[in-house]
Every structure is written in C-alpha cells, then in structure tokens.
Amino acid sequence: MTTTQAAPSVPITTAPAPVPAGRPALPLTTRLAALTRSGLVQTVLIVAAVAWLVPTVGLLVSSLRPKQVAATGGWWTALTEPAQLTLQNYTALLGGGDVPEALWNTVLISVPATLLTVALAAGAGYAFAWMRFPGRDAVFLGVVGLLVVPVQVGLIPVAKLEGAVGLFGTIPGVVLFHVGYGLPFAVFLMRNHFLEIPAELLEAARMDGCGEWRIFRTLALPLAAPAVASLCIFQFLWVWNDMLVALIFAGNDSQPLTVYLQSQMRQFGSNMDILAPGAFLSLLVPVGVFLCFQRFFIQGAMAGSVK
Amino acid sequence: MSLRSPRSGRASGGALRRHRGLALLFVLPALLLLGALVVYPIGYSVARSLFDASGHRFVGLDNYGTAFTDHATLTAVRNNAIWVAVAPALVTAVGLVFAVLTEKIRWATAFKLLVFMPMAISFLAAGIIFRTVYDADPHRGALNAAAVAVHDTFNDRSTYPGAHPRPGGGLDRAQGGDITAPTSTRVVLLPLVGVQPGALPATARTAQEPAGGDGVSGTVFLDFVPGGGGHPGRLDAGKKGLPGVTVQLRDGGRTVDTTTTAADGTFRFGAAPTATTSVVMPAANFAAPYRGVDWLGPAFITPAIIGAYIWIWAGFAMVIIAGGLANLPRETIEAARIDGAGEWQIFRRITVPQLAPVLGVVFITMVINVMKIFDLVYIIAPGPVQQDAGVLALRLYLVSFGGGNDQGLGSALSVLLLLLVVPVMLLNVRRFRGSRA
C-alpha cells in the first residue's frame, strides 16, 4: 500500500524527457558550462554502471574457472588469459549429485506456490470486489492489516503447526508457508484490479443470466490478466529466491538450490567451484524472467515491495 | 491502483442469496490459510514469548528483558538501528541521483536495466557475489585488488618487504625503518637478509664489487649463498645483487642525492663523501605491502553489507523516482530555467520538494524492508564475525533454529519485529479507510 498507490506503471524503457525544441541560442560560457556538466554526468553514470556490472561479471568469470586455476589469482586474471575459462565446473555440478536435485526442488516449490497463491487470491479478490457476504469490508480491512506482517513472525508457530500434521520438512510444507505469506498482498492486488472493471459490464452479464462463476472465469479474470501476470512473476521470483523459509521448512531431501548453496558457505573460498556456478545458475532464471517480462516485473516489484 | 469503494451489491435480493454460498467458496480457502498461517501465529508468538525455552515455565516478560541485556541480542538491536538509520536514506539518495542524472543521457534505458537487474537476484546469490568482492585477500577480492592497485599507483611499492640487515652486521636500522650505513668512506657494502631467494626479481644478477673512483659507490646484495657457504657481510661468489632499491646519500639530515640500484646491486653517487655523510636505504623499500581494507572484519562488516544492499535496491528506488519525475509538471522547471536558476537550485528547490511524496514512499518501503534484513547478513558475514554483524531477524533465526534452541526468546524477538511494523500497518489500514470514506 505504501507503494501501491504511488506505483505508476512506468516500464524502464520510458524515453527521456524530450528537450523542448526551439530553445534560444545560449551564450558561449553557458554552453561550455553545460558541456562540462554533461561530461561530468556521463562520467558519474559510467562509473556507476561499471560498479553495478563488475560484481556479476566477476561471479560469471569465477564460475568458469576450474579450482586449480582459481587458486592462482583473482578472476580478473582471466581477462588477459581467457584460456582459463572452461565449462567444467558446470558439467561437474549438473552431471549429478545434489545440485540437479536441489534445482528440481526449487521448481517443485516455486511453481505450485505461485499457482496456488494466484488462484486463491483471484477467487478471494473477486469476492471482496464484487460479491456480498456478511463482514466483507471488515475482513478485507484485516487483510490490509496483514500486508506488512514479517514472515519471521510465522516461522516458529507454523513450524510447530506443520510438525503436528507431518508437513514439516516436506515440499508441501514449504509451499504452504509461501502461500500463506503471499496471500495478503496477492488478495489485495487482485481485489483492486477487479474493482477497475466497470460495474455496468458485470451487471450486463448478470442480466443476461450468466452465473457468478462464469462471469469470474470468462469476464473478470481475462480483464485482470495483466495483474495476474505481474502477481505470478512477483510471487514466482519471491519463492524462487527465498532462502529463509526453506532453510527452516525444507528437509534434507527437499532443500532448494538456495539452501544447498548456503550449506556450502562454510568452506567459502575453497569451494568457489561449487558456489560460483551454483549462484550463477540460481540467478539465471530470475534474470531471464526479468528481461522477458520487464514491464510486469517492475509493476509487481513495485507493488510488492511491501513484503 | 485505486482504493475506491466497492461498487458491487446492486444485484437483486434473490441473486444475493445465491451469491452468499458461492462467495464463501471464493473467499474461504484464502481466509482459512491466512487465519492458520498468519493470524494464529501472531497470537501464538505473543503467548509463546512469555514462556521459557522449554515452553513449560511461565516467565512473564523475562524474554524481553533478555533481548535488551544479552550481549549478542543487544548488538543485533544496535545494528538494526544502524541499518534503519543509514540504509533507507542512502538507497533513496542514490536512486534520486540516478533518476535525475539518467534524464540527461542517451543510454538511460541500458543504464536503468543494468542497475535494476540486481532486484531480480536472490539475496543468496548477491551475498555470494559480495563475499568475493569483499574478500580481504587482494588476489581474490576485487575491491581490495582495486584498492591496492590505486594505492600502489600513488605510492612507491616496496620492492623487498621484510628485508633487514643481519644483526650486528654494521648497518643501523632506525626507528622508522630506514637502514643506514654510517660511513664517510667512498665504497660501501650493504648486505641484507630476509628476502626469499625465490622472491628476487628475474633481473637480479650476481652482486658486483662497487665501482670505486670519485664520489660514493656501493652494492646492495642478498647476504646469502644458496646451498650454503660464504661469509656474512662479504661479497662472496653466488650472492645476488638487489636491483631496484632506492638509495640516498644524506649529509646530516639533508638528502644530497638519490639513486636506484642496478641489476647487480651496484649504485653510485657523484658527490664526494664528507665526515658527516651517510648512505641510507629508506624504509619504503622494505615496508610491508598495502593489503587493502579488511571489509569482512568486525569493524567494517555492517557498512560492507549495507553497500551490497544499496547495490540491490538502488535500482528499485531509481525506477520509482524516475516514474515520479516523469509525471512532474515541466512548466515550473522551464520557468525557473528562464529566470536563470542553476541546475542545482532547480534540483533542490523544485525537483526534490515536488518529488517528496514519491521519495517518502521509497524511504518507508526501504525502512520496512531493512527491519527484516536477514539473508544478506547471514551470507556475507563470515562465521566468526556473524555476531558483530547480527541483526534482529538473524538473531531470531539463530536463537530459535540455528542451535540456540530457545523459542521463547525467538518468539519475543519476532513480536519485537512485528511491533516495529505496527505503525505502518495502522497507517495502511487508516489510509485504506480514509480512501473509502
């Protein structure tokens, strides 16, 4: 909320503000000053761009250097000796053992957690927007209140709860937790988007004798498709990137990639041949999603940053 | 997104009654999960925080007392305060600067994509990235490698770190590390030890006798014959010269001449010696090399992690602020420009005040976010300094699951975390009601 209201739908690719045409000719000193300033701006931004790029490039290059080579110097030495780079860390990592399984667990956790959250939130959001039931507004106010509850509050109690029903340490247990803490924002977002639909449209459908379920499925849901897409992307990345919840709720055979990599941190330095390619694999999917669905991603991230 | 009042409910009574059952079907699954996984845990945590680690003994507010007296937890509270005080303001400021500056360049889209991308990356991956960036060893950590490179560009690099004269060998080592041969003769031998033969530069040749003749000449050499033999302090066969050593001829406190040794360790000054001259090898020749900053040590760990946090979130701030900037009326700025206002004045007096609501949103979002910071600290801080870097959420995890095994204290910490966000919660609810009135 703190963000959602102010979140304008600006994709990154907005054009810079146009310079008004037909500006009167400026005196030379002013033009010189402007030139210096623009040089300064360019320099500052180039330095910033390098600072933002280098860490990730470093990870990529590190992930391509075999263990023996990595011990001989920093990753930047590979820039002058590209012969250092091989795919052997990746083939070793993906060839078997824990990483493919952890990667698969990540998928098994993130996909259901996303679909379930979005499905439940779409239904509830529609009901909060267009159906009448006792206490509707008060209950929704409660959902608004839950928006900022930190996941940390749920860790101990839900672990107990899931332990009691035998879900603790399983993939469904992790999924369930993510659904619970994804719901407040998801319901909030869906309800607000359903409200954007003109009442007359729904009224007309009702007049035509459409049932509420059919209206929801064939009219409301398609109209709210952009919101559904944003929500899917946001929730998917949230769960894919999660470490804390899985650290507690996943068992040894259900741990996702983040938890597996975390368990390798103890020998940091000596096992960069696992950590660097592992981390790079784990960020490939989010970055790919980001690049493909930029617009939705930014809307989702902006609206969801309250979490 | 609007928070307008619902416009539903105009359906006829019969339809409504039919709705009711269906409506329950729509909302109930979500509400049941919310109740069991979010609402119930709040109550459970409050209750559990009043009991001890075993969960059987009622201890009142003792756990909260512990939270503010226990050293590790107190450190966490203090660090959380530092995070909240520093990180949101920095992220907002960097985002603002980027948003304003990118309006003036052609490659704004590329820049924004680049800076926004870390948002998509998990804290774990970002943590691993920055753990390597901050590595103290300049042969592994990029930041220290850069620091060392910059340092060595502006300062002479010492050629023989740790080299020193043989004790009792006739050379003096001053307090500051200068090595002096107190001599007024024309020929001077400067034998040193403490250099690994393998660490000699490839250019080093067998040491030669000083050339003699006018002025002062001498040889700096490694007083060691590989394989043994030779006499200490003498120029025996097999001893290598030390090239590249800076040597000064001083008279009293004044430096008369400066030179550098050749491949065979020899050097020569034109000036003739007097009773007060001496040959000095300045300490800079032997100083330990600059190794950069210990970013992951106890002193710098929190600022270092905040740096990684800015790397992740500045793009988010930038994109939202740029969105606000695009919606600002251009007329005021143009008018000010025509009135002769400078860019800085426009920025401070017009842009920033007009952007205040957007800046506020970014700032508050970051505050909520920073209060719960966990992954980044857990990953970047190496085990031994984890306590120095500790924050509430990390402490909560360690206390309840990471070996502490005290879910009473853990629950108290989670209630504290919840209390920290209650003002925002109330603000949200009030705003929402206000928008419906």
Side-chain angles (χ1 to χ4, degrees):
Chain A
M1 299 243 323
T2 34
T3 52
T4 41
Q5 278 162 326
S9 51
V10 250
I12 277 178
T13 42
T14 39
V19 181
R23 223 188 240 175
L26 296 165
L28 183 67
T29 46
T30 319
R31 276 202 315 234
L32 268 178
L35 213 63
T36 328
R37 207 162 43 226
S38 106
L40 199 67
V41 167
Q42 297 276 0
T43 316
V44 169
L45 290 182
I46 288 172
V47 169
V50 169
W52 253 261
L53 190 61
V54 165
T56 319
V57 171
L59 182 75
L60 172 62
V61 175
S62 301
S63 74
L64 295 169
R65 300 171 77 217
K67 199 170 187 156
Q68 327 65 281
V69 178
T72 62
W75 57 264
W76 49 90
T77 58
L79 299 179
T80 47
E81 306 158 42
Q84 292 181 358
L85 305 178
T86 74
L87 282 174
Q88 81 183 56
N89 289 339
Y90 285 94
T91 45
L93 213 57
L94 293 172
D98 297 328
V99 169
E101 197 192 318
L103 203 55
W104 181 234
N105 284 337
T106 303
V107 175
L108 286 184
I109 292 170
S110 1
V111 173
T114 305
L115 295 181
L116 264 174
T117 308
V118 175
L120 292 178
Y126 181 77
F128 279 124
W130 295 110
M131 294 165 106
R132 271 190 144 188
F133 54 92
R136 180 185 73 176
D137 294 353
V139 173
F140 188 70
L141 214 56
V143 174
V144 172
L146 297 183
L147 274 174
V148 288
V149 174
V151 291
Q152 278 88 355
V153 174
L155 298 178
I156 297 172
V158 179
K160 273 255 153 51
L161 211 61
E162 290 194 357
V165 294
L167 281 176
F168 188 74
T170 67
I171 285 182
V174 184
V175 170
L176 197 64
F177 190 94
H178 281 303
V179 173
Y181 280 80
L183 272 177
F185 168 68
V187 171
F188 178 76
L189 184 89
M190 288 316 303
R191 178 236 181 221
N192 285 341
H193 271 271
F194 282 129
L195 268 188
E196 307 268 307
I197 300 172
E200 294 72 29
L201 214 61
L202 297 178
E203 228 23 68
R206 279 185 191 140
M207 293 295 213
D208 289 344
C210 276
E212 209 61 32
W213 170 249
R214 233 184 107 193
I215 296 178
F216 168 69
R217 239 197 38 192
T218 58
L219 190 66
L221 215 46
L223 282 173
V228 172
S230 290
L231 188 59
C232 277
I233 289 168
F234 176 74
Q235 178 73 5
F236 176 78
L237 290 187
W238 177 263
V239 178
W240 181 280
N241 284 338
D242 162 76
M243 179 181 81
L244 172 59
V245 175
L247 208 51
I248 293 165
F249 287 86
N252 275 336
D253 49 358
S254 54
Q255 61 180 9
L257 192 55
T258 47
V259 174
Y260 170 75
L261 291 175
Q262 195 279 326
S263 71
Q264 299 296 311
M265 287 296 291
R266 260 180 210 291
Q267 297 90 35
F268 190 87
S270 65
N271 61 0
M272 271 317 269
D273 56 324
I274 295 173
L275 283 171
F280 198 78
L281 280 178
S282 92
L283 69 77
L284 264 186
V285 170
V287 169
V289 168
F290 166 64
L291 290 178
C292 296
F293 304 101
Q294 213 200 99
R295 179 183 298 263
F296 295 123
F297 176 85
I298 290 162
Q299 281 170 0
M302 284 199 292
S305 52
V306 283
K307 275 180 81 165
Chain B
M1 220 161 305
S2 102
L3 296 172
R4 264 172 295 151
S5 93
R7 287 160 298 173
S8 59
R10 266 179 278 163
S12 64
L16 271 183
R17 216 155 299 126
R18 267 190 290 113
H19 281 171
R20 222 167 255 182
L22 197 61
L24 276 185
L25 237 90
F26 271 71
V27 285
L28 220 50
L31 290 186
L32 281 179
L33 284 178
L34 279 177
L37 300 172
V38 187
V39 178
Y40 159 77
I42 296 176
Y44 181 93
S45 294
V46 173
R48 183 70 182 82
S49 72
L50 304 176
F51 286 81
D52 71 349
S54 70
H56 298 303
R57 201 165 60 84
F58 181 81
V59 292
L61 294 176
D62 277 9
N63 284 323
Y64 294 92
T66 310
F68 289 102
T69 47
D70 166 52
H71 176 69
T73 315
L74 208 56
T75 310
V77 172
R78 194 202 65 193
N79 282 339
N80 247 55
I82 294 178
W83 270 92
V84 170
V86 175
L90 278 180
V91 168
T92 314
V94 173
L96 175 64
V97 169
F98 284 176
V100 170
L101 292 189
T102 44
E103 284 211 315
K104 303 184 194 301
I105 58 166
R106 281 167 204 279
W107 47 292
T109 304
F111 182 85
K112 285 183 183 174
L113 269 179
L114 181 64
V115 175
F116 194 79
M117 204 157 52
M119 270 283 298
I121 299 176
S122 65
F123 284 123
L124 170 98
I128 292 177
I129 289 176
F130 275 88
R131 186 75 179 265
T132 52
V133 167
Y134 286 135
D135 201 305
D137 181 354
H139 295 296
R140 286 217 301 248
L143 196 57
N144 269 348
V148 168
V150 170
H151 178 272
D152 291 348
T153 312
F154 294 106
N155 300 275
D156 281 331
R157 245 177 100 182
S158 80
T159 15
Y160 302 100
H164 55 89
R166 228 180 250 288
L171 298 181
D172 291 340
R173 189 165 201 189
Q175 200 71 41
D178 292 352
I179 298 174
T180 309
T183 176
S184 50
T185 55
R186 287 179 178 277
V187 173
V188 54
L189 290 183
L190 298 166
L192 294 175
V193 289
V195 181
Q196 295 290 323
L200 285 178
T203 53
R205 298 273 169 275
T206 305
Q208 298 296 318
E209 288 288 344
D214 286 343
V216 176
S217 60
T219 306
V220 182
F221 62 99
L222 182 57
D223 193 8
F224 170 81
V225 178
H231 299 277
R234 290 212 207 131
L235 252 182
D236 300 310
K239 290 183 179 174
K240 293 271 194 184
L242 294 177
V245 178
T246 306
V247 188
Q248 293 177 336
L249 184 67
R250 290 193 194 163
D251 194 348
R254 198 168 53 89
T255 302
V256 181
D257 202 355
T258 303
T259 186
T260 308
T261 54
D264 54 8
T266 58
F267 62 90
R268 182 185 175 82
F269 297 113
T274 67
T276 49
T277 51
S278 55
V279 172
V280 180
M281 294 178 284
N285 286 310
F286 317 109
Y290 178 69
R291 305 277 297 167
V293 179
D294 188 13
W295 301 108
L296 299 177
F300 284 102
I301 186 69
T302 297
I305 304 174
I306 290 178
Y309 184 84
I310 293 172
W311 184 78
I312 297 173
W313 284 96
F316 164 79
M318 173 191 69
V319 169
I320 293 200
I321 296 172
L325 213 51
N327 291 336
L328 285 190
R330 293 273 142 190
E331 296 79 22
T332 356
I333 294 177
E334 280 307 311
R337 209 166 263 153
I338 288 166
D339 287 348
E343 290 293 326
W344 173 244
Q345 264 183 316
I346 292 176
F347 175 75
R348 259 204 48 201
R349 313 252 161 170
I350 301 177
T351 314
V352 171
Q354 283 188 334
L355 276 179
V358 179
L359 296 179
V361 165
V362 172
F363 184 80
I364 291 185
T365 308
M366 287 298 106
V367 169
I368 302 174
N369 197 292
V370 152
M371 283 173 183
K372 303 174 289 183
I373 187 89
F374 166 79
D375 315 43
L376 214 51
V377 180
Y378 192 40
I379 295 296
I380 296 183
V385 291
Q386 215 153 57
Q387 215 184 70
D388 300 283
V391 284
L392 274 179
L394 177 59
R395 196 74 203 127
L396 191 165
Y397 170 75
L398 292 176
V399 159
S400 358
F401 300 97
N405 213 11
D406 184 352
Q407 304 207 329
L409 179 57
S411 296
L413 291 178
S414 76
V415 171
L416 284 180
L417 265 181
L418 184 65
L419 285 179
L420 284 175
V421 296
V422 160
V424 188
M425 192 187 274
L426 294 179
L427 187 80
N428 275 350
V429 171
R430 222 190 52 196
R431 267 205 207 173
F432 182 74
R433 285 176 107 156
S435 70
R436 283 193 313 170

